[in-house]
Structures are given as structure tokens and as C-alpha cells.
Amino acid sequence: MGLLSKFMNALIGEPPVSKTATQPGPKLARQNVPNPTQQQTTQRKSTVQSRQTQQLTQPSQSSQLARSSYRAQTQTTARNTSVTTNRSRAQSHANSQPAQKLMPQPMLPAEQIERARNIIGKIEKHELSDEQISAIAGAGHNTLVLAGAGTGKTTTIVGYIAWLLNTGTATPEEILVLSFTKASADEMSSRITQSTGKVIRACTFHSLGLEICRSSTIANRPIIDGHTSNNVVRNAFEYLLEHNVSYRLLAFKLMSQQLLDKYSTAARLENFQLPTDDYAFNQYRQNLIDTTQTIIQHMRSNNIDIAGMQTLNERYGGKNIGRNRAMLQLIEPLYHAYIQNFKTNNGIDFPGMIVDAISCVNNGSYRHPYKYVLIDEYQDMSRPRYELIRALRLQHDFSLFCVGDDWQSIYRFAGSDIHLILDFDRIWRAWGPTFMFQITTTRRFRQSLIDASGAFVMRDTNLYVKHLNNPSDKKDYSLKALGGHTEEERFNVIVEQLRKLPKTASVLLLGRYRSDINLMIRCDQEGLFSIDQSTGNIRFLEKPDMDIRFMTAHASKGLQRDFVFLLCCSGGLKGFPSTIPEEPLLGLLLPEVERCPHAEERRLFYVAMTRCKKKLFFIVDQTRPSRFMYELHSKICPNIFRGVKLPPQCPNCGEALSLRHNRNDPNRSFYGCTGFPNCRYTQQAK
């Protein structure tokens, strides 16, 4: 169980379980999702969708007593909760044993699919697939649709809305669609209107939270935007760093021991001038500011204050408890400045907006009208968003229809918890039976890439098994490795390949970090490219009509281009997978790190692989290749590495081995790990 999840379970309590007779699917029991316990409920049966020879029942609404108890528990914060009395409850969750995963439902009979297709009609001028129709017409009270990359997730949601409207099951006012970005919500709204002719509420979770807040007793509070809040934190940090000696020494200590040793004596002076010409100092200072801003935002979104963080650290800080205490000392005055800023303005901050909305729902100042709630990109759900949906269902139940892809869960740093999709059945079974459907047909990319990317991501056995397919039986060669031992060599193979592509092709250069664009900037000695770093737009002067853009793998999610170059197929701290260590205090606030090594980095690499429609190029650092390259080479698609030789791989840590010479005897050589000094593996060269 994640540390924050343990703590919040102890604070919040657990949802009531319906006693309505149901036919649930296989149950899940992962460790950091609340396990519903039996409480008194009223019984109310209702018919859900009719499936062949199967009638489902809807769970009863919670009793007023259960709702009141829940509200009282959710309003309890870390500041006034006894840790000792909740220890056993948190430990009981941690000791729960995993159970079998949900199994996908079979497709409906052909005649039932055809009847449903006639009711739904064409969506965006196309008929839905049998898989999509089965998920729509076979949906239950809790429905999870696992849809792979390029399989039509949004189209399925639009089709489900058409089904609800055309069958008279719901009116437009009774349907809510939730997404995670304003752009995706606006696109969803437009596509729904175009296909159905009806206006359906489609918005982000924060937009819903703001609506709830403004329609309740805190209606007139202004929004304090993130930029303003971050500036408050930055200004408070800079002021204390310059004017407070003890705070300055604490900051240097948290930056690095080298900086502390270098400046500790001078930093004790009242008139000390910050070493703004020191590159290392500037880097560490910026990292501290960024980390502090992130931690404060997660504290707000999880409704936990400094006292709560101190309690969390004392219970779960482990070997990092000392550093965490120091970080909290650094953060405390910045946190208070942040809180004071929006309190002074009587404002609502974005991280706390959903927390405030939950409070409004629980105290009854907001009543929702929805019978059906649809969630797009469900794999991006965070604990606060889950708590908001849960509070709304406790107030007045509705059917839940969620579409997502566990293979594309890549936002843990923003609070997304993959267990909320992996454990979908377990967390929602209190509200009735759960069905899971899969949509596996994609036309976005070709079968060789489907096979390679699927085999790669499914090496994490905690994920759901899916076998995507492309209806075309055309033979293709969608992947190729291009290599170089130096940056210049890798730049040259990119240029050479771009010269071979069609002059009007769309091209995406993907990096793990924004700094990966430096490969193109540093090596372009002849001025072949015009690069706008602010937008990522790149102009190849030899082919000015070619559409080229650079972005990070995270930013590319949901996009597609003809050709994709993965620029960062190297090892090391800022390689792919990234091995930059997480700030321990932040780790207490985020969902638990998964047991599979580099699990989220693997999913991110999968997202990067599946952005292309025609061909994917891996730009391999042949001096220090990514461990993912070794995996593709040895287990998945060795044929794509023709002409690209990889050095031996370290059996200890997975990084590359490098040939080195003995200092005392130049004639003797050995292989040493490029992960040194973290890995000290060596072996004699033959």
C-alpha cells in the first residue's frame, strides 16, 4: 500500500457496501485501494442494461447515517487525527492479499450487436466496431472499457451517449462527461454535439470542482492561479535565502554537501551575497524551488498540512526521516506564505479546488442531477478525483462508464494512481457489479509495431493483457534502430534518414526530457535546422514543407505523426528509463512506486513508441544504450538492430559495460559498468 494511501485510509474510513444481490465478476484486492466494509444500507433494485439471459441490479443508496458518518470522517484532517488509533486499520490494508484480475466480457451475440448498431447509428460518419458496440450495449452499473492506443476511446464514449439518448435511458441534463484537460474536454463536447445534435456537459475535474464550489456557499471566491501561487513560494524562498542565516544554511545542506562545505563559513555572515554566478548553486536552488512548489501542491490536493506531513514522515519516513524533517523545515514558512496568499484574497487554489468541492458535496450545499457519469482517460485518475466521484455517488448514485488504458498510465508525478484502474472492480463494487470490456482493433499503426510495443509493455505482468491488432494483413517494417557512439554520429544518422523521407511527411522527435533537443542544437554546425525551442517547431531547410516538431514523451500522449524518432535511447540518470532519484518527502505524497522495475518508465516508452503511423526510429547511444534497447534487442525485435551493435550489458544493474584499461598495466583491460560509482561491477576482458 502507498504510504499516503495508508494514511488517508486511516483518516477517511471506507465506503459502505451495498447488500443488493448482484453477480459480481472476479474480485481484485490490490494494496493501496480502500476495501469496502459492510454497513447498513437501504435496498433499492433497478434495472440496468439488458444483456442476453442476464439481469443486473443497481446498488442501493447509502443510508443517511452512513453518509453523515462518511462526511464527518472525510472532514477530519491529519492535524487532529490520532495516528495510534488508526495504525491497525492501515496495517490491515497493507496486509491484504492480491486476487484475480477482472476478465473481459465476451462480445454480445451478432443479432444483439446489429440491433444496438441500428439504435446508435453512425458515429462521426462511421459505424462502430463489434467490440465498441458490445461495450456500449453490454455496459453495467460500473463499466471499465480498456481501449488500446488508437482504438477509438473517444468514439466509444460518443457512441455510449448516443445509445443513452436514443434508447431514452437518459436526458442530456442527466449525463456528465469528465476528462483531464480543457482541450480534451472541449474536443469531446464538440464531437458529442456533432454526432448527437445534443449539448452534453463535458468538462475537466477542476471545472466540475469550481462549478460545485461556486454554486454553494463559497460562490464568490476568486481563483488563485498556479502561476501566482508559485511566485508566492519562490519569492518567500528567495527572501529567506538572502536574509535568514539559519534558513540559508539549511538550504545549502539540502542542496549538496559540496555546496555546504564550499559556502558554509561565508553563509553565516549577515551580508553574505548569494553565489548567483555558480552554476551548481543555481541548478540546486531551482530544483529546491520546483520540488517545494510540487510538494505544496500535492499537500493541498490531498488536504494535508505541515503537521500531517510531520506525522506521515515519523510513521513512514524510514531511512529518509532525517532529510524529510529538514525538507519540512524548509517548506513550512513557504507553505504558510502559500496558504496566507489565498486566504487573504478569500480565493480558491487549483490543487485545493477538488478538496473544497468534496466538502460542498458532503455538507449538502451542492446536489448533483446526474444518472450517468462517463470518464475519459480513466488511467489518469488520482486519489482526490476518485474521492470526488465517490462523494457524488454517496450523495446520489449513478452509473459509471470509464474508458482508459492501463498501458498509458504515465502521470504518477501529478498524482495519478494506476491502482485505480487496475483495481477498478474492487474500489467500485460497493455500488454494484462491474464489467470490463476490451477494444483491441487499431488502425493508427502497423502490426509489427503493435506486436513489438505490446510485447514490451506486457513484460510488466501487473498490467492487463491485451492483444491489439490491425485489420490489414500487409507486411510491414515499422521499426528501425539507428546508432552512433557520439552525439555527432547520432545527429548525422537522423539527418540522413530525414533526407530519405517524403518532403511533406509529418515527423515527431521525442525526448525523455526537454533537454534532449540539445542533440539537434549542439551538433547542427552547418545550420541545417531552424529550431524554435519555445514551441518545439523545427524547420529542415532542405525540406521546408516537412512538418517536424520536438516534444517530450509525456507531452506527445494522444498525438500521432507519420514518422517518430526517439532521441533518447541511452542509459544514465537522464536516460530512458530515467533513474533520477525522487525527493523522499514527495514520495510520501505520491502513489506507491510499483514493484516492477521502471514500471511507469516502461509505460512512457510504450506511449512514445505508439505515436507513429508509419515508421519508428530508435536513436541508440552505442556507448551507453538504454536498458530498454537491450530488452528489445535480446527478447522482442532483434532484427531491427542490423548494423547497430550494442556493448555488453551489466548483469548487476542493466547499464552498459565499457572497456577500460588497467592503470598500472596498459596492456591489461577489463569491462567496467557505466553506472559507476553506483554500480561497481567489473569483468575481465577476453
Side-chain angles (χ1 to χ4, degrees):
M1 176 185 287
L3 301 181
L4 180 63
S5 298
K6 291 180 186 177
F7 194 64
M8 295 303 286
N9 280 338
L11 301 184
I12 292 173
E14 302 166 340
V17 171
S18 168
K19 295 182 180 179
T20 306
T22 62
Q23 298 175 6
K27 296 179 180 178
L28 298 177
R30 293 182 184 274
Q31 293 184 352
N32 66 337
V33 182
N35 182 18
T37 58
Q38 294 291 336
Q39 294 184 22
Q40 256 189 328
T41 59
T42 58
Q43 297 199 359
R44 176 178 55 84
K45 295 183 179 179
S46 70
T47 303
V48 188
Q49 293 297 341
S50 174
R51 306 182 77 249
Q52 185 186 28
T53 69
Q54 194 172 35
Q55 195 75 15
L56 303 179
T57 55
Q58 183 171 300
S60 60
Q61 253 186 304
S62 307
S63 67
Q64 184 62 40
L65 178 61
R67 288 197 298 270
S68 300
S69 174
Y70 170 74
R71 285 196 292 269
Q73 290 169 343
T74 53
Q75 290 165 357
T76 304
T77 66
R79 184 172 55 254
N80 56 15
T81 299
S82 168
V83 172
T84 305
T85 57
N86 291 306
R87 182 183 301 274
S88 60
R89 184 181 299 176
Q91 290 175 341
S92 69
H93 285 292
N95 295 330
S96 61
Q97 296 298 314
Q100 186 181 359
K101 292 179 181 176
L102 269 174
M103 297 301 293
Q105 295 292 315
M107 283 197 291
L108 299 177
E111 62 273 14
Q112 193 171 345
I113 289 176
E114 197 55 38
R115 285 197 301 271
R117 183 175 281 118
N118 291 333
I119 292 172
I120 295 169
K122 290 186 177 180
I123 300 298
E124 298 172 324
K125 300 181 180 179
H126 297 285
E127 289 189 343
L128 298 180
S129 69
D130 289 357
E131 288 180 321
Q132 290 172 313
I133 294 289
S134 293
I136 291 168
H141 197 56
N142 302 307
T143 303
L144 174 63
V145 181
L146 291 178
T151 58
K153 291 189 281 291
T154 302
T155 305
T156 303
I157 288 177
V158 176
Y160 185 60
I161 291 173
W163 167 261
L164 294 176
L165 295 174
N166 294 344
T167 57
T169 308
T171 64
E173 296 76 20
E174 294 172 328
I175 302 171
L176 172 67
V177 182
L178 291 169
S179 191
F180 289 84
T181 67
K182 186 178 185 302
S184 62
D186 290 346
E187 179 190 359
M188 182 79 70
S189 179
S190 175
R191 291 171 68 172
I192 292 169
T193 301
Q194 288 175 8
S195 291
T196 67
K198 303 293 184 181
V199 176
I200 303 293
R201 175 92 162 110
C203 63
T204 65
F205 280 86
H206 280 92
S207 179
L208 174 64
L210 182 61
E211 175 190 303
I212 291 172
C213 291
R214 284 185 167 168
S215 65
S216 65
T217 56
I218 55 176
N220 296 320
R221 290 172 61 185
I223 299 172
I224 307 299
D225 65 83
H227 179 72
T228 300
S229 295
N230 282 340
N231 279 341
V232 168
V233 172
R234 175 185 291 276
N235 293 339
F237 176 83
E238 297 286 8
Y239 180 86
L240 289 169
L241 193 64
E242 187 171 352
H243 296 95
N244 188 300
V245 172
S246 60
Y247 192 87
R248 184 188 307 147
L249 292 172
L250 176 63
F252 273 117
K253 179 181 178 182
L254 287 167
M255 290 180 188
S256 74
Q257 187 62 45
Q258 290 81 1
L259 281 174
L260 180 63
D261 293 341
K262 186 176 180 179
Y263 294 111
S264 61
T265 301
R268 288 181 167 83
L269 302 175
E270 292 288 346
N271 61 349
F272 174 73
Q273 297 294 312
L274 296 177
T276 52
D277 57 346
D278 186 320
Y279 177 80
F281 168 77
N282 289 330
Q283 291 293 103
Y284 276 110
R285 177 176 65 171
Q286 185 60 49
N287 182 66
L288 263 185
I289 292 171
D290 292 343
T291 301
T292 296
Q293 290 168 341
T294 301
I295 289 173
I296 290 174
Q297 288 167 7
H298 281 289
M299 289 171 64
R300 286 290 300 145
S301 66
N302 287 288
N303 198 22
I304 187 168
D305 59 12
I306 292 293
M309 287 301 300
Q310 290 168 340
T311 302
L312 194 60
N313 180 46
E314 296 305 313
R315 293 180 67 184
Y316 301 116
K319 65 179 182 181
N320 298 307
I321 194 169
R323 178 176 175 85
N324 291 344
R325 286 171 179 165
M327 277 297 294
L328 283 170
Q329 280 184 298
L330 184 91
I331 290 172
E332 184 169 4
L334 312 184
Y335 171 82
H336 290 313
Y338 178 101
I339 296 296
Q340 187 59 43
N341 175 62
F342 73 79
K343 280 188 175 179
T344 299
N345 296 286
N346 193 32
I348 308 171
D349 61 329
F350 272 95
M353 192 176 290
I354 291 178
V355 171
D356 287 348
I358 293 170
S359 177
C360 293
V361 173
N362 289 335
N363 65 29
S365 59
Y366 173 84
R367 305 291 299 179
H368 77 82
Y370 304 113
K371 289 175 60 178
Y372 290 86
V373 172
L374 292 67
I375 303 177
D376 189 21
E377 302 289 1
Y378 185 80
Q379 75 279 350
D380 295 335
M381 281 286 282
S382 63
R383 175 60 66 107
R385 293 182 178 98
Y386 156 70
E387 294 292 350
L388 177 58
I389 298 300
R390 181 171 173 264
L392 290 168
R393 293 192 91 175
L394 282 168
Q395 181 190 93
H396 178 65
D397 195 17
F398 45 76
S399 291
L400 191 62
F401 186 90
C402 303
V403 181
D405 183 6
D406 55 324
W407 292 5
Q408 298 188 70
S409 177
I410 59 172
Y411 294 119
R412 176 179 172 270
F413 67 88
S416 298
D417 189 344
I418 191 173
H419 295 89
L420 293 174
I421 188 170
L422 294 180
D423 296 332
F424 186 88
D425 174 56
R426 184 168 178 246
I427 68 171
W428 294 119
R429 67 185 176 199
W431 283 267
T434 299
F435 289 141
M436 187 266 277
F437 297 86
Q438 290 191 358
I439 302 176
T440 59
T441 301
T442 179
R443 289 178 170 81
R444 173 186 290 176
F445 45 98
R446 298 171 178 175
Q447 195 62 46
S448 60
L449 180 52
I450 290 173
D451 294 341
S453 60
F456 173 80
V457 75
M458 281 193 294
R459 288 181 66 81
D460 180 356
T461 57
N462 293 310
L463 302 177
Y464 279 99
V465 173
K466 295 189 287 291
H467 296 288
L468 273 60
N469 65 88
N470 188 313
S472 172
D473 57 1
K474 203 173 181 184
K475 194 166 185 181
D476 66 272
Y477 302 92
S478 298
L479 306 92
K480 183 171 179 58
L482 304 172
H485 291 86
T486 65
E487 278 195 337
E488 289 76 13
E489 289 179 1
R490 296 194 291 277
F491 174 82
N492 289 335
V493 298
I494 294 171
V495 173
E496 181 183 348
Q497 193 59 55
L498 287 173
R499 286 170 173 157
K500 296 178 182 179
L501 300 183
K503 62 182 181 180
T504 58
S506 61
V507 178
L508 199 54
L509 305 183
L510 290 182
R512 174 60 184 84
Y513 292 98
R514 291 188 185 94
S515 59
D516 290 330
I517 188 59
N518 290 336
L519 170 67
M520 304 298 293
I521 296 172
R522 284 195 294 256
C523 299
D524 187 16
Q525 302 299 321
E526 299 177 18
L528 299 175
F529 299 93
S530 173
I531 301 175
D532 186 338
Q533 290 183 259
S534 62
T535 63
N537 291 330
I538 300 175
R539 189 164 179 256
F540 185 28
L541 300 186
E542 294 181 12
K543 294 185 176 181
D545 293 330
M546 185 176 282
D547 175 14
I548 308 177
R549 190 176 179 193
F550 168 83
M551 63 179 61
T552 64
H554 278 104
S556 73
K557 186 171 175 292
L559 302 179
Q560 54 185 317
R561 294 291 187 273
D562 294 335
F563 301 94
V564 172
F565 292 76
L566 292 189
L567 300 184
C568 187
C569 297
S570 60
L573 282 178
K574 295 188 76 172
F576 208 160
S578 169
T579 56
I580 294 177
E582 182 175 84
E583 179 63 50
L585 187 65
L586 178 59
L588 294 180
L589 287 161
L590 296 177
E592 182 183 24
V593 175
E594 297 154 80
R595 293 181 181 178
C596 177
H598 308 294
E600 186 166 74
E601 291 288 306
R602 179 179 297 275
R603 296 192 295 273
L604 181 60
F605 197 82
Y606 169 80
V607 167
M609 289 179 71
T610 54
R611 296 309 95 196
C612 89
K613 296 189 286 186
K614 294 182 178 178
K615 196 153 189 172
L616 168 66
F617 299 98
F618 300 101
I619 309 304
V620 184
D621 180 350
Q622 289 181 262
T623 301
R624 192 177 187 180
S626 159
R627 65 192 70 199
F628 289 162
M629 291 298 101
Y630 286 108
E631 195 173 314
L632 292 173
H633 180 272
S634 63
K635 298 180 175 68
I636 296 174
C637 48
N639 58 306
I640 74 168
F641 287 85
R642 292 189 184 120
V644 179
K645 185 177 180 181
L646 305 183
Q649 185 179 19
C650 176
N652 186 37
C653 73
E655 291 284 332
L657 296 177
S658 177
L659 187 64
R660 297 172 182 170
H661 296 283
N662 191 298
R663 291 181 182 177
N664 300 322
D665 185 356
N667 295 321
R668 294 179 60 189
S669 58
F670 66 96
Y671 284 102
C673 183
T674 55
F676 181 87
N678 294 324
C679 178
R680 298 177 178 269
Y681 177 85
T682 61
Q683 71 178 42
Q684 292 299 317
K686 295 180 181 179

